[in-house]
Amino acid sequence: MADLTKLTIAEARDGLRKGDYSSVELTEACLTAIDGADALNAFVHKTPDLALERARAADKTISAGDAPGMCGIPLGIKDLFCTKGVPSQAASKILDGFKPEYESTVTQNLFDAGSVMLGKLNMDEFAMGSSNETSVYGNAVNPWRRGNDTAELTPGGSSGGSASAVAADLCLAATGTDTGGSIRQPAAFVGITGLKPTYGRVSRWGIVAFASSLDQAGPMTKSVRDAAIMLGAMAGHDRKDSTSADLQVPDFEAVLTGDIKGKKIGIPKEYRMDGMPEEIDAIWKDGAAMLRDAGAEIVDISLPHTKYALPAYYVIAPAEASSNLARYDGVKYGHRAQLSQGDGITEMYKKTRAEGFGAEVQRRVMIGTYVLSAGFYDAYYNRARKVRALIKKDFEDVFANGVDAILTPATPSAAFGLGEMADADPIQMYLNDVFTVTVNLAGLPGISVPAGLDKQGLPLGLQLIGRPWEEGELLNHAYVLESAAGFVEKPAKWW
């Protein structure tokens, strides 16, 4: 039964319905794999009893007939999603001991569809990071290695635990969140598929907020088809989220025809960065050739405000974070600092936040507070919002000219070593988001698909960006790219 963990969602769904195995057997196989993979530090709160209880319930639903596609499928849940009665810490000390009395809308939707939660997954603290090195639980580790080198690599961030767990076959899929690339970048680093839906397609209610106008949850899966199946279960209108779109959720899997003849794929010239590794450029050209061979028209396009995206993002995101994180003060829940005699409430706030927040979160909160302060609001925050509007207009103009999707690299490099950027200028780390932040600023759907290996044997991904609300068409383009690339490589097991 060990091979059960290697199944895709689609394969497991079909096998469960045929009676080849039960959800309990599938879940037990994943739980065994998780217990043997502590070296990856992907699962940080294991929930075996809850998993088996839900698996037994799923088996009853399946045997009764007409079960949803996600019924009985074992998943990992990023620690940013609130899960009732289960620790939900956002990988931060300040939420130590917090067990919500409610369920996030996304996890509720998945559980209503019969999915099984195996446990909570590691991540960067409050989703702030590109390497999963800011977590209170310690680093998550990429299951891939550079050839025979034993150096531990980052699985990317902030959804690093989700990426590592799916790539290592600890779960069949996982939830992630994407504020500036936190689904797509880690997916590219570990050779899996990561989908960031259109802003508003998936409810944010019950997900610990980082930057509210940018955050979006999505699936991290072993295939494009799996992403389509899982997104269908996650998405939907939610009255508890004022930014949730009141739109019907289509059958995303049904759109995967593999036919993109006559579709127009844009290649943005501004994404050809100075110093881009030759391997990234080569795989980008290969991806364009694959889509052309499938009948698509490849056209050069311009997104002229791309160069301003990173600075605009790193003003807007910290500004929203500083506002969202103001609620963590040690009064109602989570960590509270020990006080000295005579300390008042102000000292309690200061000590609790100093102890509870890690260095990267403190850095971003201070940046955000600064750009929102009276003397600098117009110079920084308002200007960044105007730049964001221009970036969104760039995409609107391209799509208005008949472009159906945009092809770019997913990341500027393959996975790097844990600790290699720890002491560097933080901006070097932020540059990992150079190809992904524009999608969040514009609220568009984007997907990362594994497309090949670099010379060190590490995965490289390509990104497709779609029109708003057209995840189905985007997934179909990704399906064609996935089929043409034929990426089937898996990390050699060392853990």
Side-chain angles (χ1 to χ4, degrees):
M1 289 294 182
D3 284 342
L4 290 181
T5 63
K6 300 186 186 305
L7 294 172
T8 64
I9 292 173
E11 291 166 345
R13 173 192 62 186
D14 296 345
L16 286 167
R17 274 145 195 72
K18 288 180 195 169
D20 294 343
Y21 38 79
S22 66
S23 178
V24 168
E25 290 172 315
L26 195 54
T27 299
E28 286 174 338
C30 289
L31 292 172
T32 300
I34 291 165
D35 285 341
D38 286 345
L40 298 177
N41 199 28
F43 275 88
V44 291
H45 298 292
K46 301 174 186 178
T47 57
D49 294 342
L50 187 59
L52 289 169
E53 178 187 322
R54 287 187 174 150
R56 285 189 284 270
D59 282 333
K60 288 181 182 176
T61 303
I62 292 167
S63 64
D66 199 29
M70 289 295 294
C71 190
I73 303 298
L75 304 176
I77 304 297
K78 186 177 180 178
D79 196 39
L80 207 64
F81 293 78
C82 287
T83 43
K84 186 175 181 179
V86 177
S88 305
Q89 284 186 235
S92 180
K93 182 179 178 180
I94 208 160
L95 278 172
D96 185 26
F98 176 56
K99 294 182 180 180
E101 291 301 315
Y102 53 89
E103 198 72 53
S104 79
T105 298
V106 165
T107 49
Q108 189 64 61
N109 287 349
L110 288 168
F111 301 155
D112 287 347
S115 301
V116 174
M117 181 176 75
L118 298 164
K120 304 297 286 290
L121 292 161
N122 206 346
M123 55 175 282
D124 279 296
E125 184 182 9
F126 281 104
M128 298 182 195
S130 301
S131 64
N132 215 133
E133 292 177 279
T134 68
S135 170
V136 73
Y137 310 118
N139 304 335
V141 179
N142 194 326
W144 290 82
R145 285 186 162 172
R146 301 179 183 124
N148 295 321
D149 190 344
T150 59
E152 293 183 340
L153 305 180
T154 175
S158 65
S159 306
S162 300
S164 180
V166 175
D169 294 321
L170 308 185
C171 53
L172 272 60
T175 62
T177 61
D178 193 310
T179 305
S182 288
I183 286 174
R184 291 159 289 149
Q185 183 248 27
F189 275 5
V190 301
I192 65 170
T193 299
L195 172 65
K196 176 230 172 269
T198 309
Y199 181 82
R201 172 67 84 182
V202 176
S203 173
R204 293 183 300 108
W205 193 85
I207 301 172
V208 178
F210 166 12
S212 299
S213 75
L214 300 164
D215 298 342
Q216 191 63 188
M220 301 182 73
T221 60
K222 299 178 185 180
S223 73
V224 172
R225 183 175 297 278
D226 284 5
I229 297 167
M230 188 168 169
L231 178 62
M234 294 173 68
H237 180 238
D238 181 11
R239 287 181 295 176
K240 297 194 292 289
D241 175 6
S242 63
T243 62
S244 173
D246 190 1
L247 293 173
Q248 185 176 359
V249 179
D251 183 346
F252 296 114
E253 187 183 11
V255 186
L256 302 181
T257 63
D259 182 7
I260 59 166
K261 289 183 179 67
K263 297 294 184 181
K264 194 178 285 190
I265 309 295
I267 307 292
K269 65 180 183 181
E270 289 81 9
Y271 281 55
R272 298 194 183 281
M273 306 289 184
D274 290 339
M276 179 190 290
E278 288 182 15
E279 290 169 312
I280 300 288
D281 191 46
I283 208 161
W284 190 10
K285 288 175 180 171
D286 289 346
M290 292 172 197
L291 295 172
R292 186 186 292 112
D293 290 345
E297 179 187 356
I298 307 299
V299 297
D300 290 325
I301 60 170
S302 178
L303 299 168
H305 295 95
T306 295
K307 63 183 176 181
Y308 305 116
L310 267 179
Y313 174 84
Y314 279 102
V315 169
I316 292 168
E320 294 185 13
S322 73
S323 177
N324 278 324
L325 270 59
R327 70 193 70 174
Y328 304 110
D329 52 19
V331 175
K332 300 181 188 70
Y333 47 79
H335 174 73
R336 179 185 294 187
Q338 293 293 315
L339 302 182
S340 304
Q341 181 120 21
D343 281 349
I345 193 165
T346 302
E347 285 75 18
M348 198 254 310
Y349 290 158
K350 287 179 179 177
K351 289 182 178 179
T352 296
R353 290 169 68 82
E355 291 177 9
F357 290 145
E360 181 61 29
V361 173
Q362 291 183 23
R363 178 186 290 122
R364 297 200 196 193
V365 166
M366 287 190 289
I367 291 170
T369 304
Y370 177 81
V371 300
L372 289 177
S373 58
F376 303 99
Y377 186 89
D378 287 330
Y380 291 103
Y381 185 66
N382 258 349
R383 185 173 295 182
R385 288 174 60 211
K386 290 173 183 174
V387 170
R388 180 182 190 171
L390 293 171
I391 290 168
K392 189 169 186 285
K393 178 76 162 47
D394 287 347
F395 283 105
E396 288 170 352
D397 291 345
V398 165
F399 290 132
N401 285 330
V403 168
D404 296 288
I406 298 166
L407 179 71
T408 80
T411 59
S413 71
F416 50 88
L418 288 165
E420 285 183 5
M421 289 199 186
D423 299 321
D425 182 340
I427 293 172
Q428 291 301 115
M429 186 73 81
Y430 299 163
L431 288 172
N432 276 286
D433 304 330
V434 66
F435 297 128
T436 51
V437 295
T438 52
V439 177
N440 299 81
L441 289 168
L444 299 172
I447 188 169
S448 174
V449 179
L453 300 175
D454 75 355
K455 61 189 175 190
Q456 295 179 304
L458 298 178
L460 295 173
L462 287 172
Q463 174 180 233
L464 280 161
I465 303 166
R467 297 169 178 267
W469 313 116
E470 293 187 9
E471 287 88 356
E473 186 170 333
L474 175 66
L475 283 158
N476 191 42
H477 283 93
Y479 181 61
V480 171
L481 185 61
E482 174 188 59
S483 301
F487 185 90
V488 294
E489 289 80 359
K490 300 288 288 185
K493 192 170 188 293
W494 55 265
W495 56 93

